[in-house]
C-alpha cells in the first residue's frame, strides 16, 4: 500500500523527522479507546550519510528535551542548485522489529521514488514545512514550491517534535525509517525509535 501524501495531513516533525520519527504516525493507525497516550518513545539512533560531502553534507543531532519530546539541531549543506530536470530523486520506507536487532519487517508505508522537487510539493509541504518553519531556514511557500532548491546551508535550531498528533495506541517495539536519495549524490538518513507502554 502506498499512502497519498496529498490526502494525508498526518504529521507535524522527523523532523516532526526527520525525519522520521513522524513516519510512525502513518504506519500504525490509532485504536479506539482513551484519549491519553498509552505509550512513549525514545530515539535510539539517527545516522545520516553522504557519499560526497562536497555536494551534500549532514551535521545534525537529536537531543532529548523531556520524556517523549526531542529536538533536532544542526545543518544540512547543499552545494548545488537543484532544478526539475536535474537528477535528484528521493524515496523512503518504514520497518518494525520486536527487539531492534535484525528482524525488521517492512510496514505498509512508503515514500515512493520521486524527484526532490515533487517531494517538496507533497511530502515536505504536507508533513514537515509547518513544524520546521519556526526553527529553521528551510523553504516556506504558500502554493507551490518554485525551483530551484537553492544551494546553501540549511540550519535547524532545536526543532522539537513530540507525541502530539500521533495515535493514542501504538505497539511496543523498535521502528526504523529510512530515506534515500540519489542523483548528484547518494545519501541516506536512518532513524530508529523505541516505543514503550507507559506503566
Amino acid at each position: 500500500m502506498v499512502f497519498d501524501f496529498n490526502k494525508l495531513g498526518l504529521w507535524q516533525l522527523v523532523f516532526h523527522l526527520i525525519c522520521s520519527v513522524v513516519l510512525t504516525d502513518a504506519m500504525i493507525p490509532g485504536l479506539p479507546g482513551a484519549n491519553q497516550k498509552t505509550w512513549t518513545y525514545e530515539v535510539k539512533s539517527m545516522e545520516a550519510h553522504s557519499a560526497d560531502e562536497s555536494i551534500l553534507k549532514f551535521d545534525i543531532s537529536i537531543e532529548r528535551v523531556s520524556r517523549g519530546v526531542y529536538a533536532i539541531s544542526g545543518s544540512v549543506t547543499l552545494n548545488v542548485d537543484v532544478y526539475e530536470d536535474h537528477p535528484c530523486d528521493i524515496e523512503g520506507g518504514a520497518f518494525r522489529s520486536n527487539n531492534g536487532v535484525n528482524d525488521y519487517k517492512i510496514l505498509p508505508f512508503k515514500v515512493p521514488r520521486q524527484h526532490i522537487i515533487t517531494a517538496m510539493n507533497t511530502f515536505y509541504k504536507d508533513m514537515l514545512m509547518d513544524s520546521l518553519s519556526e526553527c529553521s531556514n528551510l523553504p516556506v511557500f504558500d502554493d507551490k514550491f518554485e525551483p530551484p532548491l537553492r544551494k546553501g546551508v540549511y540550519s535547524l535550531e532545536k526543532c522539537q517534535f513530540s507525541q502530539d498528533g500521533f495515535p493514542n495506541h501504538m505497539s511496543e517495539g523498535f521502528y526504523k525509517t529510512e530515506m534515500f536519495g540519489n542523483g548528484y549524490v547518494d545519501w541516506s538518513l536512518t532513524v530508529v525509535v523505541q516505543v514503550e507502554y507507559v506503566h
Side-chain angles (χ1 to χ4, degrees):
M1 176 185 300
V2 176
F3 288 84
D4 184 347
F5 288 114
N6 290 311
K7 296 179 181 177
L8 294 178
L10 298 177
W11 311 333
Q12 305 285 318
L13 164 285
V14 176
F15 302 89
H16 265 161
L17 232 17
I18 219 163
C19 285
S20 277
V21 174
V22 275
L23 295 180
T24 56
D25 181 31
M27 291 186 284
I28 308 295
L31 301 174
N35 291 326
Q36 293 185 336
K37 300 289 187 294
T38 59
W39 56 274
T40 187
Y41 74 92
E42 179 179 354
V43 177
K44 306 303 286 186
S45 66
M46 180 179 71
E47 296 180 5
H49 173 74
S50 171
D52 188 345
E53 292 191 339
S54 68
I55 297 175
L56 179 67
K57 181 178 180 180
F58 295 97
D59 183 14
I60 52 178
S61 62
I62 292 179
E63 62 179 295
R64 182 177 178 179
V65 177
S66 61
R67 187 175 189 184
V69 180
Y70 291 83
I72 184 169
S73 296
S75 63
V76 178
T77 303
L78 178 64
N79 286 319
V80 293
D81 290 335
V82 180
Y83 290 85
E84 287 178 297
D85 58 347
H86 291 179
C88 195
D89 288 343
I90 185 173
E91 61 184 309
F95 310 83
R96 182 184 175 277
S97 166
N98 286 330
N99 57 27
V101 183
N102 56 8
D103 66 337
Y104 279 93
K105 302 215 170 32
I106 192 165
L107 293 168
F109 179 89
K110 183 178 181 182
V111 177
R113 185 169 179 170
Q114 58 193 277
H115 195 275
I116 187 66
I117 300 301
T118 301
M120 290 295 292
N121 283 306
T122 54
F123 172 70
Y124 173 79
K125 181 181 180 182
D126 295 342
M127 312 301 171
L128 304 178
M129 187 171 72
D130 286 347
S131 296
L132 296 175
S133 64
E134 299 297 322
C135 60
S136 78
N137 63 337
L138 287 161
V140 176
F141 49 94
D142 291 326
D143 184 26
K144 183 178 179 182
F145 179 75
E146 296 296 336
L149 177 59
R150 295 288 184 188
K151 63 182 178 181
V153 178
Y154 294 98
S155 301
L156 301 100
E157 182 63 34
K158 294 188 176 180
C159 295
Q160 290 190 18
F161 45 97
S162 70
Q163 298 175 8
D164 294 345
F166 285 64
N168 290 331
H169 306 280
M170 288 182 65
S171 299
E172 283 191 312
F174 292 79
Y175 293 84
K176 176 170 66 174
T177 60
E178 296 179 334
M179 299 295 291
F180 299 98
N182 56 60
Y184 280 125
V185 59
D186 290 343
W187 61 268
S188 64
L189 174 67
T190 302
V191 178
V192 176
V193 302
Q194 183 180 11
V195 171
E196 296 181 305
Y197 290 132
V198 177
H199 300 291

